[in-house]
Amino acid sequence: MQMANPKRSRPENTAGDFYVDDTCIDCDTCRWLAPATFLRAGEFSAVGRQPATSTERELALQAAVACPTASIGTHSPASELPSIRRAFPLPLEDNVFYCGYHSRKSFGAASYFIQRDEGNILVDSPRFSPVLAERLESMGGVRYFYLTHGDDVADHEAWRDRFGCERIMHKWDANVETLGLEILLQDEQPYALAEDLLILPVPGHTRGSTVLLYRDKFIFTGDHLAYSIRLKHLYAFRTACWYSWEKQILSMETLLKYRFEWVLPGHGRRYHANAEEISRQMGLCIEWMKSR
């Protein structure tokens, strides 16, 4: 595994073992994964406080493994790294897991794994890692590889070659690299992949953006919907809307018809609350979007 370069450590780092070097791309991964250690300093991440407990150290090392640019390092050898690498995917709730291993090709987008008796699902693409592949194999492999939109496909071909899975994305986001996907959705109608899995087209961020609703509890939103620490409510990326803001508002309004408790985005912060609070948050999000 490539590691950060201590000679390129950012001057904003707090002195100590952990550091962030100047290859950081400000994807935010380390700041939400290990918030006690990492913060935004200037335009990029830095170590704001050295880990003070074993739990904080573990989270900081998880951030180092997850970092898409290998920008996080330690001055002394981290003997725990092999076990940290093998710990991914990390359990989130029920049979849903966070994959880590973010890819620079997707600007550090998060990916998730759903373990199901009927066939496991990989949601958006982590960077390909033999260690992660072995772990997913031990958990039953991958039947479906669902891609929320064309921005976050990263190493999809390597994962397809490893597991022989069926890749799913909307045809409107397909390009020369993804036209060969096994399942290309064709219109703006909901698509039932299984009784517990519903794909909802949400054009806006891109024309072919979709979200995946699982068990009326988890929604995997790609770059359509996330939580804002600054605004303190759910929101959409106004400055990263590549197709139509007006369409994205309409797409957001369609989600009001559905119940869920977990918002799991590719970019941005995830959010967990009861369905009633999520509905209230969605209302705040739509009001905010209409004011932009």
Side-chain angles (χ1 to χ4, degrees), residues 8-41:
R8 301 177 64 177
S9 176
R10 299 195 67 219
E12 294 88 349
N13 290 312
T14 297
D17 193 23
F18 281 82
Y19 65 92
V20 177
D21 75 14
D22 62 6
T23 61
C24 173
I25 58 173
D26 193 34
C27 72
D28 192 39
T29 299
C30 66
R31 302 197 297 265
W32 63 257
L33 192 53
T37 299
F38 301 101
L39 49 67
R40 196 169 194 260

Side-chain angles (χ1 to χ4, degrees), residues 14 16 30 33-34 36-37 56 59 74 79 84 96 103 111 146 187 194 205 218 246 277-278:
T14 297
C30 66
L33 192 53
T37 299
E56 289 181 358
L59 290 173
T74 57
S79 60
I84 294 289
V96 174
S103 172
S111 58
Y146 165 71
D187 52 37
H205 171 69
F218 303 92
E246 291 72 23
E277 176 60 18
I278 291 284

Side-chain angles (χ1 to χ4, degrees), residues 151-169:
D151 293 350
D152 297 344
V153 300
D155 293 333
H156 71 96
E157 290 182 334
W159 290 108
R160 159 66 185 175
D161 292 344
R162 177 66 174 79
F163 289 108
C165 46
E166 293 184 274
R167 296 163 293 178
I168 305 167
M169 193 173 69

